[in-house]
Amino acid sequence: MAVARTPLIAGNWKMNLDHLQAVAFVQKLHWTLKDAAHEDGSVEVAVFPPFTDIRTVQTLIDADKIPFAFGAQDISTHDSGAYTGEVSGAFLSKLSCRYVIIGHSERREYHHETDEIVAAKVRAALKHGIVPVICVGETLEQREESGPTAVSVAQLRVALEAVSADDDFVVAYEPVWAIGTGQVASPEQAQEVCAALREVISEALGADVAAKTRVLYGGSVKSGNIASFMREPDVDGALVGGASLVVDEFASIIRFQKHVGV
Ligand code: 13P
């Protein structure tokens, strides 16, 4: 990974941990990293709790000065109005969410989010000063049909229509076949797609933006494989699902710099 990009280790809790469990988790993660003398700032840590936890997590992080960022797992394309069940970027911004995950494959699959909806959500996030974490990735069938990069590249191209060169954003490559399956991509596979995605950023927004934008890998990341991904030049961090729910495991992923030789 190039020196200029601070690695981002992000925990997507999905629909796990209520607001009380969230307090215990964030406190314990903070203490675990402190006990291990983890150097704050060497890696950016972010958690993505369910909506109902965000206010609680915000208050805790604020009160205890915990050096973690936090974000939401989704955002409405609308600002306000008659959209039952939706959550506005204006509200997330009021809660000081730094990030929002957009276009996760679970939302694309179960909630029929198209590339156009993803782009509209990216636009909504940026409008409210929230950094979108734009997720892309192919199914196994798509990989066999059109190769490793085509689907992710096409998805990102549409999402980037909502982005301009001075916007901050993060891209996460999450091959659908590697999510929650234990069937992890190889570091070479992750690198190949992450490099192609950086090229898309460069074409759309210029080389400088491509050089500073973080591209993450996600899909069955664990403490035992994180270091191998982080050795790749175009992988700038990880979007972690299951392993982000286990304090010791997530702390160990955050501390990947200590076990790069593993
Ligand atoms: P797992 O780490 O559980 O495979 O999930 C990855 C993911 O979907 C993160 O957004």
Side-chain angles (χ1 to χ4, degrees):
M1 206 211 80
V3 275
R5 298 187 292 266
T6 303
L8 173 60
I9 300 293
N12 175 10
W13 294 1
K14 307 192 179 181
M15 199 170 71
N16 295 290
L17 305 184
D18 62 36
H19 71 289
L20 300 173
Q21 294 169 317
V23 169
F25 183 92
V26 170
Q27 280 179 330
K28 196 160 176 231
L29 181 64
H30 184 213
W31 294 332
T32 303
L33 290 170
K34 271 200 147 165
D35 284 350
H38 174 73
E39 195 189 318
D40 296 333
S42 59
V43 174
E44 185 182 2
V45 178
V47 293
F48 291 82
F51 285 129
T52 50
D53 300 10
I54 293 177
R55 173 67 174 147
T56 308
V57 168
Q58 178 209 19
T59 305
L60 172 65
I61 281 178
D62 237 39
D64 290 4
K65 300 190 172 39
I66 297 176
F68 302 163
F70 58 92
Q73 298 173 19
D74 188 25
I75 185 173
S76 177
T77 57
H78 306 284
D79 287 349
S80 64
Y83 301 103
T84 302
E86 293 284 280
V87 176
S88 166
F91 308 158
L92 299 176
S93 177
K94 271 269 158 63
L95 289 170
S96 308
C97 285
R98 186 180 301 168
Y99 294 107
V100 60
I101 294 172
I102 296 176
H104 192 282
S105 65
E106 287 150 16
R107 294 214 59 89
R108 290 179 190 262
E109 184 181 351
Y110 308 140
H111 301 274
H112 314 294
E113 287 192 7
T114 61
D115 289 345
E116 288 67 33
I117 293 173
V118 169
K121 291 188 171 191
V122 169
R123 204 167 283 119
L126 293 170
K127 176 178 177 187
H128 292 288
I130 304 167
V131 178
V133 178
I134 303 167
C135 300
V136 298
E138 81 291 356
T139 63
L140 207 48
E141 297 73 47
Q142 289 169 326
R143 176 169 269 260
E144 277 157 14
E145 241 169 59
S146 47
T149 59
V151 169
S152 297
V153 161
Q155 289 175 339
L156 185 59
R157 280 206 178 113
V158 179
L160 290 188
E161 286 170 16
V163 179
S164 58
D166 47 11
D167 291 325
D168 263 350
F169 64 101
V170 174
V171 175
Y173 168 52
E174 297 209 305
V176 179
W177 47 272
I179 295 177
T181 59
Q183 193 195 336
V184 67
S186 69
E188 296 74 21
Q189 286 174 320
Q191 165 59 25
E192 182 182 14
V193 181
C194 290
L197 294 174
R198 198 176 302 284
E199 195 47 47
V200 171
I201 300 170
S202 183
E203 282 163 18
L205 300 166
D208 289 354
V209 177
K212 69 169 195 204
T213 299
R214 289 171 298 181
V215 180
L216 315 182
Y217 167 76
S220 297
V221 169
K222 305 272 182 283
S223 61
N225 59 31
I226 181 67
S228 62
F229 290 109
M230 296 308 293
R231 270 187 223 112
E232 298 295 336
D234 285 295
V235 178
D236 305 315
L239 185 52
V240 186
S244 79
L245 299 169
V246 183
V247 170
D248 288 340
E249 181 67 6
F250 194 50
S252 182
I253 292 171
I254 292 164
R255 298 181 64 246
F256 72 89
Q257 284 154 329
K258 296 289 172 219
H259 50 103
V260 166
V262 176

